[in-house]
Amino acid sequence: MNPTLKKMTIVAERVLKDKLIRLIREEGATGYTLIAVEGEGSRGVRASEFEGRNVQIETIVGPETAQRVFDQLAERFLEAYAVIAYTSDVEVLRGTKFVRDSPANSDS
Amino acid sequence: MNPTLKKMTIVAERVLKDKLIRLIREEGATGYTLIAVEGEGSRGVRASEFEGRNVQIETIVGPETAQRVFDQLAERFLEAYAVIAYTSDVEVLRGTKFVRDSPANSDS
Amino acid sequence: MNPTLKKMTIVAERVLKDKLIRLIREEGATGYTLIAVEGEGSRGVRASEFEGRNVQIETIVGPETAQRVFDQLAERFLEAYAVIAYTSDVEVLRGTKFVRDSPANSDS
Amino acid sequence: MPKPGQHDNGRKVEIVFQNLISPIVLCFALGIIAVWIRSDLEVPPAIYQGLSLYLLLAIGLKGGVAVSQTPVSELAGPALVTLVLGFLTPLSAFLLMRHFGRLSRIDAGAVAAHYGSVSAVTFLAAIEAARAGGLIAEGYLSALVAILEVPGIFVGLVLARHGASAGKSKGGSFGEAVHEVLTGRSILLLIGGLVIGTLCGAKKVEEVAPFFITPFKGVLCLFLLELGMVAARRMRDLKNAGWRLLVLGTFLPLFHGILGVVGGLIAGMEPGGAAVLGAMSGSASYIAAPAAVRIALPEASPGIYLTLSLGVTFPFNLTVGIPMFMAVSRWLAPYF
Amino acid sequence: MPKPGQHDNGRKVEIVFQNLISPIVLCFALGIIAVWIRSDLEVPPAIYQGLSLYLLLAIGLKGGVAVSQTPVSELAGPALVTLVLGFLTPLSAFLLMRHFGRLSRIDAGAVAAHYGSVSAVTFLAAIEAARAGGLIAEGYLSALVAILEVPGIFVGLVLARHGASAGKSKGGSFGEAVHEVLTGRSILLLIGGLVIGTLCGAKKVEEVAPFFITPFKGVLCLFLLELGMVAARRMRDLKNAGWRLLVLGTFLPLFHGILGVVGGLIAGMEPGGAAVLGAMSGSASYIAAPAAVRIALPEASPGIYLTLSLGVTFPFNLTVGIPMFMAVSRWLAPYF
Amino acid sequence: MPKPGQHDNGRKVEIVFQNLISPIVLCFALGIIAVWIRSDLEVPPAIYQGLSLYLLLAIGLKGGVAVSQTPVSELAGPALVTLVLGFLTPLSAFLLMRHFGRLSRIDAGAVAAHYGSVSAVTFLAAIEAARAGGLIAEGYLSALVAILEVPGIFVGLVLARHGASAGKSKGGSFGEAVHEVLTGRSILLLIGGLVIGTLCGAKKVEEVAPFFITPFKGVLCLFLLELGMVAARRMRDLKNAGWRLLVLGTFLPLFHGILGVVGGLIAGMEPGGAAVLGAMSGSASYIAAPAAVRIALPEASPGIYLTLSLGVTFPFNLTVGIPMFMAVSRWLAPYF
Ligand SMILES: Nc1ncnc2c1ncn2[C@@H]1O[C@H](COP(=O)(O)O)[C@@H](O)[C@H]1O
Ligand SMILES: Nc1ncnc2c1ncn2[C@@H]1O[C@H](COP(=O)(O)O)[C@@H](O)[C@H]1O
Ligand SMILES: Nc1ncnc2c1ncn2[C@@H]1O[C@H](COP(=O)(O)O)[C@@H](O)[C@H]1O
Ligand code: NA
Ligand code: NA
Ligand code: NA
């Protein structure tokens, strides 16, 4: 009834916001939550104060979507941009809502 | 010493803020943390920009409280409002602080 | 490839912000993310509205760093200040980035 | 006095143009364009909330000063007419939405609550348009905004509840909605400002005028920039609304607007004031009403009521409605 | 010159009334009411911080311009008196809190730090009240705010530490507190504004006056709206405070206030200026002091010092204290 | 007319001093100091974004009004010169950064995009300095800011891409960068304001002047407070930059600045206007360019381009560059 899914958190410089949302949407996320954050990491990069600080994107997804987003992040963004990502297991209220990816429904 | 408890996260439209806080308090939460967030899900509902965006409520609770809040959310809010909720296991510094619900102290 | 690390979350009154950042840096964190939050707990303390509300610090660290930060928090802040802390397991994209503490590299 | 209808067409076109080419309307348009071209422009939520707070308090203050300067005898008529409009307009909106618009009782009531209440920004734009068109609008109109804001919401909620009360609706309670409306920030600020303005009178409010009065119109521009973005996002939902709702979204403001103009003239208001009352009556709330409806009628679809009030009726009033109410008021005034 | 005490009662009542019916005080009241009726009104934290930033910088600027226009000889006396008040008032607050209020040394010191420092908003309200009452208040008073803000905090901390240093206190270091106070944003903005105003002089500050000077009072209204909400939340804790603390929360401002008035008159200030100095001296900080105390005395209970300064003394001064200091100053002035 | 070079030195020193002792420059300094003494001062991000939004829209509005009052014939020359500067300056910045500064092609192109574009705040400071120095600066200069903002960014990106296109760069696409620049909020607000100002003309903009025009300079002060903090944080990275980059960071503004002054004079502008055009040309963008570069050239190091534009060139122009361009323009004007 409360199935276990992944909560994926991505912290990235603001300039990536729209791209990351598009990415997670394409990989099967049914929604996301955005938080305006500040942060410091190893790169210390910020496009411009004017653009705002970092953005934290949280999305509840099935494990396959999570893995695909991880792969895409590593391939497209990890090198050139200030971005980190991690997942954890969550138990979700009415979890069926969060799994959209057709073949991935039977996440193993 | 660092007992495992539940971190429950509720993301909901702003208009529910006070109700949700009352709910988790009544079900035994000893505190909560509020974050102003934005988000998109399956419902795309927002009462009004003027009311502010979504609100994310995080609360550290014992597993029984978590379950009761889940049940209440499902019964009272899930259908008509834009709200999601999930829990994960956390290891808490001085965790005794977070368990108030008298009979639920011995969360099984 | 996606090693399991700890995500440590600290929620504290604003006045501790700089001290806490220094603390986690000293104990080996390679970065952190800051969120402006509101909250209520058992102490209900707030230095002054002018100082802003609470601050939530999230940092991805190895388990040993996490334990050391826990110990320091308990020793130096837990009693006199409004502060809570908890950790959870996370699976991190390119996790080697987050472990700096030389001897703690082989976190068991 | 010009014979009614005489130079009317020329003036009408000019007024429309005057109304469209103003910083306020153009900032609204800029916000719409920003969404259309997918700009990353955004007004931070905190700024937007700060601006609303300022605007509502300022409207109240101005209205309060005007009330303190107006004899009760002069206020009574317009206040009464406004109250009547606050009951008539949600009723007509409900009936039309239910029967022509084919909405469920709940959705029709929700929409009625919006059209029965008033949009403060439409009011402000109408005030500006009156001034630009050389018409006089009574200062106490801001007080009428406060009077018009509340009753329509309740009428809408009652209409929706009437059938739904049979056990169907859960979650939303009418009592909570009453509390929400009466203690809601928009009413609180408006009434608060009104009382402060009335108590302090013109001389003391003068001291805060360089903040609350003089720069007001400029602040409104910034606010409309964001409102344009919000409206543009709402307009995307128009395709799902169906033509019946679109027709009503433009007919209701006209219908209620002309009701308001006529009511204002009956109450003995100036042509400019009656036109502004028309714009108020023809407008749909998107601040107080949505919050109350969300609480009391959670099953009602915001995709319907917000799209109608913010995506259709607001831009319609800003561009077509207001100048039309001005023209109608000019045209009808000599008959009263 | 009126014989002291003559028309005094009539004027006093009038002044009290004048002081209460002002946009500033009424906005404070509106904030309190918003909390009482559980309105969802909120001033976004970012806006509140932006307003504080603006107010502090503006106070500094105004003070700086006044300093640049005042001969040092004229400043010296009032500055010295202010400094003395900065040492005397925390001491008296400490002793009274310790012996009559029965607080621990730590808590008494924390409270003393607040009463030894100054509330910028009380200062501003006093300036307005003086103007409304037709009294003259010297322009350099803003500079005295900066002088009064710091020493009281240190005296309070030292008094608290004196006994606690015996190993008991952990976490808070005095050195850090010094840094916190001196580099804290409130001091930085106040002193920064003061220096900028002094260096630039009236003519150059004139250019930014339409932002920093003219709309100032209106901005203050918005700020007081939020402050009213904060104070109302604090007032809820009053019941835990005990009657002894409540008595002190109203006695201390009166006592320190009259000290300030007398000091100001001794230093040769105008009656209005002396009354404002009284209000400053009688006020308790809730911006600079809480932050410093939280760092240096984490064991001290904010429930005590914040409730006293923000929930008791601030509203007391706004409504009763300031008009009383005006009256006292008018009444005493002829004797100096 | 004074013989060129005559009282020049005296005036020059005076102008430098006039320029440094102004609320704007001193607020910038206060921001720097706040970082140096590790104050906890912070301008909330929402406020900062709100201020930028306001400033850009206001610049546009003012420029638009000026354009609506200027015959096209008078605008054509300066506009053309500005366009030429928009192509020349990124090219010279690229070549110098590549060969003297020893940067990679990507980094050199990124820096060129910044120096080819314009800093709105430097422009504003130059306008103020001209006024303070009694020089006339044409109103349409704000329109030139919009013209100068875009092309330099593209030239820089093209220069960087030219070699990188060989498969090396991933992630950043040129097309996206074009969209980012053209729909970016800074351009949108500037152009939007410009169009609104042009359409509305002086009379209608007059109505929003108490918000957008009169308090403008004061708002700028607050903005510079934060900008000082940002710049100070950037300055910390100076030690990693190497002397070659530091030299270029001061040489480029001078070189481009004098180009701009000469170009302005050739186009028949007033000495004040030419000096401001010089300041624009000599300035480096830190709003539009960084965002575009981050998208199109993610491999380029922000540690280089932001430190140069915000940590070196901006403070340099504010303190040394602008007064120097004024002096040069005064000195050269008689020869044109
Ligand atoms: N160890 C960490 N824990 C939490 N957040 C981090 C950590 N490292 C980096 N971040 C966040 O990720 C952003 C980009 O990191 P980086 O790419 O390392 O500069 C930073 O600005 C932080 O907000
Ligand atoms: N898959 C998801 N991951 C994270 N947050 C979500 C997700 N779906 C919905 N949300 C959040 O929950 C809110 C309500 O969702 P919904 O009820 O689906 O409209 C959204 O506005 C988001 O902030
Ligand atoms: N049970 C809880 N769950 C989530 N956050 C909490 C909880 N208890 C306290 N907090 C947060 O920690 C801060 C300090 O708590 P306290 O020390 O209990 O006053 C509060 O202001 C909240 O933001
Ligand atoms: Na209406
Ligand atoms: Na005091
Ligand atoms: Na340039």
Side-chain angles (χ1 to χ4, degrees), chain C residues 47, chain E residues 110-111 114 290 293-294 297 300-310:
Chain E
V111 173
H114 287 71
V293 164
R294 197 74 197 112
L297 302 173
S301 160
I304 295 174
Y305 55 74
L306 280 181
T307 302
L308 277 176
S309 73
L310 202 51

Side-chain angles (χ1 to χ4, degrees), chain E residues 45-47 49-50 53-54 57 179-180 182-185 188-189 192-193 196 199-200 204-205 207-208 210-212, chain F residues 17-18 21-23 26-27 30 34 37-44 46-47 128 131 214-215 217-219 221-222 225:
Chain E
I47 297 293
Q49 282 175 270
L53 207 150
Y54 167 90
L57 199 56
H179 183 264
E180 174 76 19
L182 292 182
T183 68
R185 60 190 101 179
L188 183 88
L189 289 167
I196 296 177
L199 287 178
C200 290
K204 280 178 174 172
V205 169
E207 299 181 342
V208 296
F211 180 67
F212 282 114
Chain F
F17 190 74
Q18 284 283 344
I21 302 302
S22 81
L26 291 177
C27 278
L30 185 58
I37 65 172
R38 298 163 143 273
S39 167
D40 66 347
L41 178 69
E42 62 183 11
V43 179
I47 297 293
E128 290 311 327
R131 265 226 322 232
T214 333
K217 243 173 106 169
V219 177
C221 286
L222 226 52
L225 185 67

Side-chain angles (χ1 to χ4, degrees), chain D residues 18 21 37 39-40 217-218, chain F residues 46 179 183 185 204 207 211:
Chain D
Q18 283 283 343
I21 302 302
I37 65 171
S39 166
D40 65 347
K217 242 173 108 170
Chain F
H179 182 266
T183 69
R185 61 189 100 179
K204 282 179 172 170
E207 297 181 343
F211 180 66

Side-chain angles (χ1 to χ4, degrees), chain C residues 39-58:
Chain C
E40 253 188 88
S42 49
R43 265 163 296 204
V45 162
R46 189 174 291 162
S48 141
E49 301 287 321
F50 180 52
E51 297 302 307
R53 314 287 160 92
N54 286 347
V55 68
Q56 177 161 322
I57 304 179
E58 299 178 353

Side-chain angles (χ1 to χ4, degrees), chain E residues 15-213:
Chain E
I15 292 178
V16 171
F17 190 75
Q18 283 283 344
N19 199 45
L20 288 186
I21 302 302
S22 79
I24 289 175
V25 174
L26 292 177
C27 278
F28 183 72
L30 184 58
I32 293 182
I33 291 171
V35 171
W36 283 350
I37 66 172
R38 300 164 141 269
S39 166
D40 66 346
L41 178 68
E42 61 181 13
V43 179
I47 297 293
Y48 181 72
Q49 282 175 270
L51 293 178
S52 335
L53 207 150
Y54 167 90
L55 292 174
L56 290 165
L57 199 56
I59 297 175
L61 275 175
K62 262 199 278 192
V65 170
V67 166
S68 80
Q69 295 170 326
T70 314
V72 178
S73 62
E74 197 184 316
L75 258 178
L80 191 71
V81 164
T82 305
L83 215 58
V84 171
L85 289 169
F87 284 91
L88 272 190
T89 55
L91 203 67
S92 84
F94 180 78
L95 292 175
L96 281 164
M97 284 294 160
R98 193 94 175 86
H99 299 296
F100 180 81
R102 299 184 177 169
L103 292 185
S104 74
R105 171 178 284 274
I106 298 270
D107 278 328
V111 173
H114 287 71
Y115 282 90
S117 184
V118 56
S119 144
V121 178
T122 307
F123 160 72
L124 293 170
I127 290 277
E128 290 310 325
R131 265 226 322 230
L135 292 174
I136 294 169
E138 287 86 353
Y140 59 72
L141 277 159
S142 319
L144 301 188
V145 172
I147 293 180
L148 188 52
E149 190 148 19
V150 174
I153 298 177
F154 288 126
V155 174
L157 297 186
V158 168
L159 288 170
R161 282 271 154 249
H162 192 245
S165 57
K168 225 175 84 185
S169 165
K170 71 180 165 192
S173 98
F174 190 73
E176 275 180 85
V178 172
H179 183 264
E180 174 76 19
V181 173
L182 292 182
T183 68
R185 60 190 101 179
S186 65
I187 302 289
L188 183 88
L189 289 167
L190 209 49
I191 306 265
L194 209 55
V195 171
I196 296 177
T198 312
L199 287 178
C200 290
K203 203 169 141 262
K204 280 178 174 172
V205 169
E206 187 59 41
E207 299 181 342
V208 296
F211 180 67
F212 282 114
I213 315 290

